[in-house]
């Protein structure tokens, strides 16, 4: 286990209301550098909401976020990305008809000067080369990065989304149900990708409904119910059923 | 093999059509006729490239022809009033871009679907054109400093051809090789994904519609300069042709995507079709029907983006 005792990301008393709906009710959460933290809970428990707040997609109604020891406030996902927090959304947020390279560099293209003061051109060769490099680092065999993403398998798409996070050099990577739509083989591929991120010392925050994945990957597990964090435990000797049991048996929040 | 047919099938059909007219249509192959077809292609292709910009950000601009007519009337009015041709041209192009910006504002800020917003703009532009002309058209002996824009030659090549080449290169380089172009394409392809990646998607949509208005303005100035006259509705004939050029262009080279090379080639093919049919003595109304078939056929064939842009109402 490479996780350290140093918190990289911490939430204090975070609440989020959508009108009358209290999606989160005072959640404290500490994420340690280099760990894989799984966030579990039933449908509607508040997992996606929590992740939206951590990724800058939503602002909390109240509560504070601390990243690497200083208070942060993210207004957009871009703000978070710039501080090294990248999110891979449930629907991946890829542009299906654009090439793999274009997706990896979406919104953050490399440019090169062509000797004119005001005009810079896309550096497509460099982007292709680097996209290829990121995928190789993830041990994904994709030879032609000019292929449109729509022709890839689910696992390969997940890899493209992760490559984009690497392009931002994000050290905190948040993933919402990365294996939800995948088959057995592809799931295994994505789990390998996550292990790979961990081995590079990156911090991964993972939402999953699949307790086998969670037990196989996570260093720690946080369980949400009704917008509250009801458990937080180190993943040692846990079996998938133990986690399921904890989710089911937690007392309903008042 | 399959992808060659997919990418070049309709382009090859276009080439065969050109070959057919070269052989069978009387006078089609004469240099004067071919030059006229190319010149006529320039107005159409420039207007169509504008429409392609809008479609690139997944918006429809149904106001192009009326905006072009309005800009033509505006520039005609200024020329008639002895405004310096360069100044008049500058103001006219700015007006085109401004009308595009209005479309952009209505679509991105007031959140009116572009199909409706630009239909409204078409009606407004039409009304304004009649207001300016009071129902008559501007004709007269215009200074060659203005008419030369369209009728002159530079280095032995007609200026219209130069404008066509410049507009094509600009559009191609802008969309394919600049960051802003890439952001426009991403916005059209996957709005939400682009936004999450930090792309200013609304600004890109506005830019697409502004460029569309600007290109309509360029086509309008050239049209007025070429005819030495300006009248309401004068660009009306180009409306369906421009849309057909973009849609037919989307069936070739980069199938399913509004693309510059396809648009310009398709514009040429459509002009060849019109010209060749006339030379072969085919009644004029056949052209209109052929255009309708091409529009529907192209969308059925590959222009799924258009369906998305049109029906997200
Ligand atoms: N934009 C929204 N507007 C109103 N209510 C919302 C919104 N987003 C989430 N909610 C509500 O907040 C609660 C928590 O939702 P959230 O999506 O965070 O749950 P989740 O744990 O991710 O569930 P799932 O496992 O189904 O993805 C739910 O009751 C949901 O209906
Ligand atoms: Mg969810």
């Amino acid at each position: 286990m490479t996780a350290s005792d140093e918190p990289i990301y911490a939430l204090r008393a975070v609440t989020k209301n959508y009108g009358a709906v209290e999606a989160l009710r005072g959640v404290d959460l500490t994420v340690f550098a280099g760990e894989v933290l799984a966030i579990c809970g039933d449908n509607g428990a508040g997992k996606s909401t929590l992740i939206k707040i951590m990724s800058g997609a939503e602002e909390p109604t109240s509560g504070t976020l601390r990243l690497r020891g200083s208070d942060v406030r993210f207004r957009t996902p871009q703000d978070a990305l710039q501080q090294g927090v990248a999110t891979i959304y449930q629907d991946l947020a890829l542009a299906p008809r654009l090439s793999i390279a274009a997706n990896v560099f979406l919104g953050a293209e490399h440019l090169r000067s062509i000797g004119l003061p005001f005009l810079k051109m896309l550096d497509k060769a460099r982007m292709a080369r680097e996209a290829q490099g990121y995928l190789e680092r993830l041990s994904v065999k994709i030879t032609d990065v000019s292929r449109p993403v729509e022709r890839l398998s689910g696992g390969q798409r997940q890899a493209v989304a992760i490559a984009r996070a690497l392009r931002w050099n994000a050290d905190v990577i948040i993933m919402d149900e990365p294996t939800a739509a995948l088959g057995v083989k592809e799931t295994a591929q994505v789990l390998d990708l996550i292990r790979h991120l961990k081995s590079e010392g990156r911090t991964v925050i993972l939402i999953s409904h699949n307790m086998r994945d969670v037990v196989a990957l996570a260093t720690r597990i946080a369980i949400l119910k009704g917008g509250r964090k009801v458990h937080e435990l180190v993943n040692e000797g846990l079996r998938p059923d133990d986690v399921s049991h904890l989710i089911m048996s937690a007392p309903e929040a008042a | 093999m399959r992808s060659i047919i997919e990418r070049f099938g309709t382009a090859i059909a276009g080439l065969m059509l050109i070959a057919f007219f070269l052989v069978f249509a009387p006078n089609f192959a004469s240099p004067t006729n071919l030059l006229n077809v190319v010149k006529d292609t320039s107005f159409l292709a420039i207007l169509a490239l504008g429409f392609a910009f809008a479609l690139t950000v997944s918006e429809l601009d149904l106001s192009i022809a009326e905006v072009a007519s309005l800009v033509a009337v505006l520039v005609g009015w200024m020329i008639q009033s002895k405004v310096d041709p360069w100044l008049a041209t500058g103001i006219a192009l700015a007006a085109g871009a401004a009308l595009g910006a209005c479309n952009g504002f209505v679509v991105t800020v007031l959140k009116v679907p572009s199909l409706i917003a630009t239909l409204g703009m078409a009606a407004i532009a039409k009304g304004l054109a009649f207001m300016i002309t009071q129902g008559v058209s501007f004709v007269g002996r215009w200074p060659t400093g203005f008419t030369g824009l369209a009728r002159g030659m530079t280095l032995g090549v007609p200026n219209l051809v130069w404008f066509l080449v410049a507009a094509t290169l600009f559009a191609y380089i802008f969309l394919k090789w600049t960051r802003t172009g890439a952001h426009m394409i991403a916005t059209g392809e996957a709005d939400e994904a682009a936004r999450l990646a930090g792309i200013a998607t609304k600004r890109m949509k506005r830019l697409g519609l502004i460029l569309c208005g600007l290109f309509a303005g360029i086509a309008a100035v050239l049209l007025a300069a070429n005819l030495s006259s300006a009248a309401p509705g004068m660009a009306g004939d180009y409306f369906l042709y421009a849309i057909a050029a973009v849609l037919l262009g989307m069936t070739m080279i980069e199938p399913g995507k509004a693309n510059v090379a396809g648009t310009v080639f398709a514009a040429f093919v459509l002009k060849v079709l019109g010209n060749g049919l006339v030379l072969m003595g085919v009644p004029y109304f056949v052209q209109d029907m052929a255009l309708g078939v091409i529009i529907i056929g192209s969308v059925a064939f590959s222009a799924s983006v258009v369906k998305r842009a049109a029906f997200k109402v």
Side-chain angles (χ1 to χ4, degrees):
Chain A
M1 193 166 107
T2 53
S4 71
D5 297 340
E6 177 201 342
I8 187 162
Y9 203 175
L11 282 66
R12 289 290 164 262
V14 165
T15 63
K16 178 71 187 177
N17 300 341
Y18 293 107
V21 183
E22 297 178 288
L24 294 175
R25 317 179 188 193
V27 173
D28 291 333
L29 189 71
T30 305
V31 188
F32 296 101
E35 75 171 338
V36 176
L37 174 67
I39 297 174
C40 302
D42 259 337
N43 293 112
K47 307 181 295 294
S48 294
T49 306
L50 186 65
I51 270 186
K52 280 180 194 150
I53 286 169
M54 297 180 86
S55 70
E58 304 262 6
E59 289 200 65
T61 307
S62 65
T64 56
L65 310 185
R66 280 175 85 78
L67 185 67
R68 295 183 205 90
S70 40
D71 284 340
V72 287
R73 196 165 158 210
F74 299 141
R75 284 185 186 78
T76 64
Q78 201 64 14
D79 290 350
L81 213 44
Q82 248 131 32
Q83 301 218 32
V85 178
T87 305
I88 296 166
Y89 298 91
Q90 210 154 356
D91 54 10
L92 298 180
L94 299 174
R97 298 201 310 169
L98 296 186
S99 70
I100 294 168
N103 270 285
V104 170
F105 287 93
L106 193 68
E109 299 80 4
H110 282 313
L111 296 176
R112 74 191 151 85
S113 166
I114 53 163
L116 296 173
F118 50 91
L119 186 62
K120 289 209 167 77
M121 294 279 174
L122 294 176
D123 195 343
K124 293 186 183 178
R126 178 171 170 208
M127 290 192 279
R129 208 167 52 235
E130 291 187 7
Q132 186 86 54
Y134 291 129
L135 292 170
E136 273 164 20
R137 244 169 77 190
L138 295 169
S139 313
V140 177
K141 286 183 194 60
I142 295 178
T143 44
D144 181 6
V145 292
S146 68
R147 271 165 71 197
V149 161
E150 66 188 353
R151 302 231 186 101
L152 300 179
S153 73
Q156 289 172 323
R157 285 179 205 203
Q158 214 33 263
V160 173
I162 294 172
R164 186 198 286 167
L166 297 183
R167 186 264 174 272
W168 282 96
N169 207 9
D171 56 356
V172 177
I173 297 175
I174 302 174
M175 304 172 94
D176 193 354
E177 306 239 29
T179 60
L182 303 184
V184 179
K185 223 174 107 188
E186 296 186 332
T187 298
Q189 191 185 0
V190 170
L191 298 190
D192 278 343
L193 290 174
I194 296 171
R195 281 190 197 101
H196 184 91
L197 293 174
K198 189 181 169 213
S199 75
E200 286 189 343
R202 293 175 208 274
T203 309
V204 178
I205 299 161
L206 172 74
I207 289 189
S208 181
H209 277 293
N210 186 324
M211 295 313 141
R212 263 190 303 156
D213 295 355
V214 167
V215 168
L217 280 175
T219 23
R220 285 187 317 129
I221 301 170
I223 295 174
L224 296 185
K225 188 156 191 168
R228 290 183 206 281
K229 187 181 75 183
V230 289
H231 286 289
E232 187 173 330
L233 50 150
V234 176
N235 178 22
E236 271 170 6
L238 286 176
R239 288 165 304 157
D241 283 350
D242 300 337
V243 185
S244 305
H245 185 73
L246 284 171
I247 292 172
M248 309 292 268
S249 66
E252 194 64 58
Chain B
M1 185 62 204
R2 201 173 141 224
S3 86
I4 288 181
I5 292 180
E6 211 178 290
R7 292 187 59 196
F8 299 109
T10 52
I12 292 167
L15 287 175
M16 285 176 2
L17 184 78
I18 294 168
F20 174 84
F21 285 134
L22 280 172
V23 176
F24 295 105
N27 287 326
F28 179 80
S30 80
T32 346
N33 184 60
L34 286 178
L35 190 62
N36 276 332
V37 174
V38 173
K39 282 181 176 176
D40 215 16
T41 299
S42 67
F43 309 116
L44 173 60
I46 292 171
L47 206 56
L49 285 173
F51 190 81
F53 276 123
L55 206 53
T56 297
V57 292
S58 196
E59 300 297 345
L60 292 176
D61 188 346
L62 301 184
S63 67
I64 42 170
E66 294 301 343
V67 164
S69 297
L70 173 58
V71 172
V73 162
L74 207 59
V75 79
W77 182 35
M78 287 187 285
I79 294 296
Q80 205 87 332
S81 320
K82 308 269 186 286
V83 175
D84 173 70
W86 288 107
L87 180 64
T89 301
I91 293 174
L93 298 188
L99 291 165
C102 289
N103 280 332
F105 173 82
V106 175
V107 170
T108 61
V109 181
L110 303 185
K111 304 214 175 6
V112 178
S114 57
L115 184 72
I116 305 298
T118 58
L119 213 51
M121 172 58 84
I124 293 168
K126 189 176 175 185
L128 284 172
F130 273 99
M131 189 182 88
I132 292 171
T133 59
Q134 302 292 328
V136 296
S137 42
F138 296 121
V139 267
R141 196 171 280 228
W142 289 0
T144 45
F146 181 68
T147 56
L149 275 178
R151 296 212 210 136
M153 311 262 277
T154 303
L155 301 174
V157 176
N159 286 350
L160 283 176
V161 175
W162 285 118
F163 278 110
L164 172 61
V165 170
T168 306
L169 283 180
F170 170 82
Y172 185 81
I173 293 171
F174 182 76
L175 286 174
K176 283 286 170 193
W177 288 98
T178 72
R179 173 179 277 170
T180 311
H183 287 187
M184 279 175 61
I185 291 173
T187 299
E189 285 291 332
D191 202 340
E192 180 68 2
R195 195 185 62 78
L196 288 171
I199 292 173
T201 53
K202 287 198 171 149
R203 196 184 308 158
M204 291 304 126
K205 292 208 172 237
R206 286 195 289 272
L207 182 59
L209 289 165
I210 289 171
L211 284 169
C212 184
L214 176 67
F215 271 52
I218 296 171
V221 167
L222 294 177
L223 207 55
N226 193 48
L227 297 172
S228 301
S229 71
M234 72 186 292
D237 281 350
Y238 287 93
F239 179 59
L240 285 181
Y241 265 100
I243 291 177
V246 177
L247 298 181
L248 181 58
M250 288 174 76
T251 67
M252 58 183 81
I253 304 169
E254 291 180 72
K257 299 181 180 176
N259 68 85
V260 171
T263 299
V264 174
F265 183 66
F268 180 64
V269 168
L270 290 174
K271 279 293 165 193
V272 164
L273 180 68
N275 178 264
L277 287 177
V278 167
L279 290 177
M280 290 184 72
V282 177
Y284 183 78
F285 56 78
V286 174
Q287 264 189 59
D288 280 341
M289 295 193 288
L291 211 53
V293 171
I294 287 170
I295 288 176
I296 294 170
S298 302
V299 175
F301 185 74
S302 78
S304 62
V305 180
V306 185
K307 296 180 196 165
R308 207 170 64 202
F311 299 114
K312 66 185 170 190
V313 180

